[in-house]
Amino acid sequence: MKNILVTGGAGFIGANFAIYMVQKYPAYNIIVYDKLTYAGNMDNLLEISDEPNYHFEKGDICDSPRVNKVIEQYKIDTIVNFAAETHVDRSILDPEAFVKTGVYGTYVLLEAAKQYGLERYHQISTDEVYGDIPEGQSSVEDDPLRPRSPYAASKASADLMVQAYHVTYGLPTTISRCSNNIGPYQYLEKVIPLFTTNALEDKPLPVYGDGRQQREYQHVLDHCRAIDLVLHKGAIGEIYNMGTGIEVENMRMIEILLDTLGKPRSLIRHVTDRPGHDRRYSLNFDKIRALGWEPEISPEEAIASTVRWYADNEWWWRKIKEGEFQSYYEVQYGARLGSEK
Ligand code: NAD
Ligand code: TYD
């Protein structure tokens, strides 16, 4: 492994991963390939923009000739695919891009990996492919996939295509399924950046339904360490869950968030729920534990440090909040919040 194509690397997790790899492995070349959709942001990569082992190429993973050209140009031997449309609420409003990028785009990358005989194709997946998990249960890697939103279905479809390329063509693949990542550079549509920046502006926090849904909020750096481990020590053809083992109710997450900022509970608004809202995800991650990985940052610490990062980095989020995000916010929350927006 020497020349790694990080697709979707201008987004939240991809950028954190690119920064982590550029800094940890000076002998590797990290080539970020990103379409720069509304979620892609070159500010996310500023920390490494002058590093000699970092390169950026703008492009769509659905564009096969462009993908092939970049693979040839940089002698790519490994693809780590983060590129996707990633927000459940947007997938409910308009699923088309989710199918295009998630399913067709993954196919294009797999074909390229096959054609160029790459050493490894790694797919970044999600706990959402397992669907809503009842209390007392946790998902293991070979559980059936029961996605319930168009987003989750696009991710599950991609995973199945990756598995098919491994079985049919012997492509050296791995897949990782993480829980809800949080940390610096997450687009404002996701719950923690949205609620933190709203609270900083003394605006209401729109909690879907009763807020008793549970998520495994995971610090993005723990996730990056886990991907690094799977790239170096993971077994070909395998899937690895990467969780925290600690489910946190949204209402508890909000308490930590507000307390970190010293903002009042009166900002909380319960609004109309998300259709088909999964109440709970829970990952069993014994398999990656056996490779030697444990989460190092507790969910409470992860939430508080993430909230502090947004409080300290208004330069990063202010321009997003004043751009495309405004029209999305109106569509998603206008009726839910009425005149309170
Ligand atoms: P994000 O929305 O912040 O970033 C996605 C990136 O992909 C953006 O930079 C965007 O420009 C790029 N992109 C989108 N379509 C593209 C295309 N057709 N070609 C090239 N680039 C394209 O997403 P994220 O939160 O960083 O998620 C990264 C990956 O991790 C996704 O595959 C997502 O499904 C998965 N994941 C995320 C979470 C989470 O909590 N954020 C949890 C589990 C899994
Ligand atoms: P989100 O960050 O969208 O991630 P996901 O739905 O992929 O898990 O949402 C995390 C949780 O927060 C989820 O239970 C939905 C809830 N949520 C709200 O209550 N209000 C909101 O405005 C948003 C965006 C999310």
Side-chain angles (χ1 to χ4, degrees):
M1 188 182 319
K2 185 168 184 332
N3 300 320
I4 305 176
L5 191 67
V6 179
T7 51
F12 160 50
I13 307 176
N16 277 283
F17 180 73
I19 294 166
Y20 169 95
M21 293 295 283
V22 161
Q23 292 174 346
K24 180 163 178 193
Y25 298 105
Y28 293 179
N29 289 307
I30 304 301
I31 297 89
V32 169
Y33 180 85
D34 198 294
K35 184 180 176 182
L36 297 180
T37 67
Y38 76 89
N41 184 349
M42 295 306 285
D43 283 350
N44 300 355
L45 292 160
L46 279 177
E47 285 181 52
I48 50 172
S49 58
D50 293 331
E51 298 298 334
N53 61 334
Y54 157 76
H55 308 271
F56 180 82
E57 292 289 336
K58 184 171 181 207
D60 188 334
I61 62 165
C62 298
D63 181 349
S64 171
R66 175 99 182 97
V67 166
N68 292 350
K69 189 163 175 280
V70 170
I71 289 177
E72 286 174 19
Q73 184 182 340
Y74 292 95
K75 299 188 170 52
I76 296 297
D77 51 46
T78 301
I79 293 177
V80 184
N81 180 30
F82 293 88
E85 291 290 333
T86 61
H87 192 40
V88 174
D89 292 324
R90 290 196 199 237
S91 83
I92 295 168
L93 293 170
D94 187 5
E96 188 178 355
F98 289 75
V99 180
K100 281 189 174 151
T101 292
V103 185
Y104 184 75
T106 298
Y107 151 76
V108 167
L109 295 178
L110 289 166
E111 266 302 302
K114 171 160 78 80
Q115 184 184 329
Y116 289 96
L118 301 196
E119 266 174 46
R120 178 74 69 89
Y121 176 91
H122 183 78
Q123 177 74 3
I124 304 297
S125 184
T126 167
D127 55 5
E128 304 199 19
V129 298
Y130 299 115
D132 200 15
I133 303 303
E135 287 283 350
Q137 294 181 23
S138 291
S139 307
V140 290
E141 287 82 352
D142 55 6
D143 275 354
L145 304 188
R146 296 198 175 90
R148 288 158 35 94
S149 70
Y151 163 67
S154 72
K155 296 299 292 181
S157 307
D159 285 10
L160 295 177
M161 194 60 80
V162 174
Q163 290 294 83
Y165 267 68
H166 171 66
V167 172
T168 309
Y169 305 111
L171 194 74
T173 62
T174 39
I175 296 176
S176 53
R177 296 183 178 143
C178 62
S179 57
N180 285 60
N181 276 223
I182 57 176
Y185 307 125
Q186 186 169 34
Y187 194 79
L188 301 186
E189 66 201 357
K190 305 296 189 323
V191 73
I192 290 184
L194 177 67
F195 284 13
T196 303
T197 55
N198 275 14
L200 286 167
E201 295 181 305
D202 298 310
K203 288 185 179 158
L205 314 187
V207 180
Y208 293 153
D210 62 7
R212 308 302 294 270
Q213 305 86 4
Q214 296 174 30
R215 295 291 184 268
E216 289 187 61
Y217 290 104
Q218 167 176 62
H219 198 280
V220 65
L221 274 183
D222 273 335
H223 183 203
C224 291
R225 287 187 205 109
I227 302 166
D228 179 8
L229 183 65
V230 167
L231 286 177
H232 290 94
K233 300 235 172 81
I236 296 299
E238 294 297 317
I239 300 170
Y240 293 90
N241 286 345
M242 301 168 172
T244 65
I246 302 168
E247 295 94 36
V248 178
E249 280 194 354
N250 285 335
M251 291 310 289
R252 173 70 193 130
M253 172 273 288
I254 293 162
E255 281 173 8
I256 300 170
L257 185 156
L258 289 173
D259 290 350
T260 303
L261 295 175
K263 294 287 182 177
R265 302 282 197 272
S266 58
L267 289 175
I268 296 171
R269 294 289 177 287
H270 290 273
V271 299
T272 308
D273 207 348
R274 170 188 282 174
H277 195 167
D278 290 338
R279 302 263 323 159
R280 180 171 178 271
Y281 304 124
S282 177
L283 291 173
N284 172 308
F285 57 96
D286 290 347
K287 197 165 157 183
I288 191 169
R289 268 195 170 122
L291 288 184
W293 177 84
E294 282 290 335
E296 291 174 17
I297 307 170
S298 74
E300 299 216 345
E301 232 178 294
I303 294 166
S305 66
T306 298
V307 167
R308 283 194 296 272
W309 187 85
Y310 289 94
D312 292 344
N313 287 278
E314 186 171 343
W315 72 271
W316 182 85
W317 59 263
R318 176 62 63 195
K319 48 192 158 184
I320 298 175
K321 225 165 190 184
E322 285 165 0
E324 178 271 354
F325 187 73
Q326 276 186 2
S327 47
Y328 165 73
Y329 197 77
E330 178 57 36
V331 172
Q332 182 62 20
Y333 299 102
R336 282 183 163 96
L337 286 169
S339 56
E340 273 201 291
K341 297 187 302 290

